[in-house]
Amino acid sequence: MSLLKLCQSSTKTIVFKCTESQGLYISARKLSIVPSIYDGENPAPKFFSSGVQIILKRLTRPNFEKVFRKRTNSNISVLRTPVYKFLTDEELKIEQSNAYKSAERLLQMPPVVKVQEPVDDILSKDPALVGYDSSTYLFTDITYGVANEHRLIIQREPDGTLRSCDHDVRKKLNQIYFPMQGRKLRDPLVFSDPEKFNSLLDRQKYEYILDRACVQYEPDDPQYQKLTSITYQHVDMNNQYNLIRSTRHFGPLAFYLTWHDSIDNLMLEMVQTGIIREAVLLMSLRQAIKEDLVNGEESTALVSEILPTRIQLRKPDYVSEDDIQLDTKCMECLDKYINNNSAMKSQQGLALQGFREYYQQLIEISRGLQKAHGSA
């Protein structure tokens, strides 16, 4: 498997292509990013496991204001007029249920799978056809109802060899006969032109890049995995997790960073922003994927207590006694992780200490309010 490499550079922003095995290098603001693909162990079984999926969906931190925000759509000429309704409590619950279902559909994560294997399937060789023509003939089954990945597409080469087409040819022929909306026969300029791609990264248009990659490529396409890995690393380097949080791409980002042992920056961001329970969920994700935590069983046990609680969109400003008990367990669990498994012990330790001090003041304020209202 390709390793993530971060190296210092004193040159200006440069993007250039190299050998196919290495892929696309991007040098941006003294940082060089080397893309990586899932070409070793197949990540799909762990990504699609029910426990990992639940954690990734919770880490996405769905925020309806962002999920249902207005977005530019070339197919809609004017903005739709909002509709206001007076609802009973029962009708309101139905509408809320529909909203949750719509949000779940919009936040459906792109799958994480192993990169496709090269096609080297020779069906036959016919020496009698040598010299018959200088062109390669392509034969495509265009039967309706057949999945594109299972469609029979073969080619006859000038030397008489009959073989299955490679993935790139299959993709183009499928697009010709069964076009997908938004997908182009050639790579769009935002991906084929290094300057345009680098410009999008500099402007932090991460969601646009990832959405466009999902339309243009299949999840097992090497180019898709290279482009997304570059984007994930750029997000991680610049600590811009909020730009893709509450989108369908945050789960694959968290999985990518965990798979490549690079979760410490994300962990630090969670502790600094006071979302301590998500930090424990991230620990549990690492345990589910890597199984290398000293206190892995403890973090996994805490997941069942965290999931039923309300999603935290910001640092808490009031806590109940149940919250205090749960958050105390989370801080103790995170403290063990920092001491035993973290690569950023000092930064994360200071961040956790700062949160402890804030939380202690929050406890005093919350208990004081309870006492003032006679509920303590």
Side-chain angles (χ1 to χ4, degrees):
M1 178 179 292
S2 302
L3 298 176
L4 300 180
K5 300 178 181 178
L6 307 179
C7 55
Q8 297 296 327
S9 171
S10 60
T11 61
K12 296 181 180 179
T13 301
I14 302 173
V15 183
F16 59 93
K17 289 184 179 179
C18 60
T19 61
E20 185 176 357
S21 60
Q22 290 295 324
L24 183 71
Y25 282 73
I26 290 190
S27 176
R29 297 183 181 180
K30 299 184 179 181
L31 288 173
S32 294
I33 300 176
V34 180
S36 60
I37 58 177
Y38 294 101
D39 58 351
E41 179 187 355
N42 186 5
K46 291 186 177 180
F47 177 79
F48 288 109
S49 65
S50 58
V52 169
Q53 282 289 302
I54 291 172
I55 294 174
L56 292 178
K57 289 179 181 178
R58 180 60 179 257
L59 288 175
T60 299
R61 202 187 298 171
N63 182 357
F64 281 7
E65 291 183 3
K66 186 172 183 178
V67 174
F68 295 113
R69 72 193 185 280
K70 295 178 181 178
R71 304 183 65 178
T72 303
N73 190 338
S74 57
N75 297 324
I76 300 177
S77 57
V78 295
L79 293 176
R80 295 177 179 175
T81 303
V83 177
Y84 299 92
K85 298 180 180 179
F86 291 97
L87 304 175
T88 63
D89 290 343
E90 292 75 13
E91 292 172 334
L92 178 60
K93 290 180 181 179
I94 294 174
E95 292 295 332
Q96 289 176 336
S97 177
N98 293 335
Y100 281 114
K101 292 178 181 178
S102 297
E104 187 173 357
R105 177 180 57 83
L106 293 172
L107 293 176
Q108 180 65 46
M109 292 177 283
V112 176
V113 295
K114 187 177 181 179
V115 71
Q116 57 198 15
E117 299 290 341
V119 177
D120 188 20
D121 185 15
I122 298 177
L123 303 176
S124 69
K125 290 186 176 182
D126 192 345
L129 295 177
V130 175
Y132 174 77
D133 200 337
S134 60
S135 301
T136 297
Y137 286 79
L138 302 174
F139 303 89
T140 307
D141 175 15
I142 59 174
T143 304
Y144 285 97
V146 178
N148 285 345
E149 60 268 21
H150 299 144
R151 193 176 300 282
L152 180 62
I153 303 177
I154 58 178
Q155 65 184 47
R156 175 74 75 174
E157 298 176 350
D159 63 357
T161 301
L162 184 68
R163 66 169 69 240
S164 298
C165 292
D166 61 26
H167 296 289
D168 187 54
V169 174
R170 287 183 61 87
K171 172 185 169 183
K172 291 180 179 179
L173 288 177
N174 278 321
Q175 182 63 17
I176 290 173
Y177 289 105
F178 303 95
M180 291 182 61
Q181 185 177 4
R183 180 172 291 184
K184 308 297 182 182
L185 285 175
R186 294 191 177 96
D187 287 355
L189 282 176
V190 292
F191 297 143
S192 61
D193 188 333
E195 291 185 3
K196 292 185 182 297
F197 182 67
N198 196 61
S199 174
L200 287 175
L201 288 175
D202 286 341
R203 289 184 286 138
Q204 299 179 344
K205 299 293 185 180
Y206 304 126
E207 188 178 3
Y208 174 81
I209 294 173
L210 296 172
D211 281 341
R212 192 70 185 83
C214 286
V215 173
Q216 184 63 27
Y217 307 104
E218 296 297 325
D220 60 351
D221 192 315
Q223 186 67 1
Y224 170 83
Q225 297 194 6
K226 291 172 184 176
L227 291 169
T228 54
S229 73
I230 291 171
T231 307
Y232 294 153
Q233 293 178 63
H234 204 275
V235 171
D236 187 50
M237 289 176 182
N238 292 280
N239 296 314
Q240 294 296 330
Y241 308 105
N242 276 333
L243 291 180
I244 62 171
R245 191 171 265 129
S246 290
T247 73
R248 58 179 176 158
H249 304 294
F250 192 84
L253 164 70
F255 186 90
Y256 176 88
L257 295 177
T258 306
W259 187 269
H260 291 91
D261 299 315
S262 301
I263 65 170
D264 285 309
N265 275 334
L266 179 56
M267 181 77 72
L268 178 62
E269 185 259 359
M270 290 176 176
V271 178
Q272 288 176 335
T273 55
I275 315 298
I276 204 74
R277 298 176 190 178
E278 283 191 8
V280 176
L281 292 178
L282 189 60
M283 290 173 52
S284 179
L285 178 64
R286 173 169 171 174
Q287 177 63 15
I289 296 175
K290 295 293 185 177
E291 300 180 353
D292 62 346
L293 296 187
V294 174
N295 60 330
E297 295 182 357
E298 182 181 352
S299 63
T300 302
L302 276 174
V303 172
S304 59
E305 297 184 45
I306 295 173
L307 292 179
T309 62
R310 187 176 59 181
I311 295 175
Q312 291 181 321
L313 300 178
R314 60 188 63 85
K315 187 180 292 188
D317 52 10
Y318 177 84
V319 289
S320 64
E321 291 300 322
D322 291 337
D323 292 330
I324 294 172
Q325 294 181 10
L326 177 58
D327 291 334
T328 300
K329 293 179 183 178
C330 291
M331 285 185 279
E332 293 174 353
C333 184
L334 186 57
D335 193 36
K336 294 177 183 178
Y337 167 83
I338 293 173
N339 291 328
N340 295 291
N341 295 96
S342 175
M344 301 175 65
K345 288 184 172 62
S346 59
Q347 298 96 318
Q348 292 179 357
L350 288 173
L352 182 59
Q353 180 60 31
F355 178 78
R356 275 201 175 105
E357 295 174 359
Y358 165 82
Y359 200 79
Q360 186 59 41
Q361 296 176 358
L362 184 61
I363 291 175
E364 295 175 0
I365 294 173
S366 298
R367 287 176 174 171
L369 288 174
Q370 292 177 2
K371 185 177 181 179
H373 288 85
S375 58

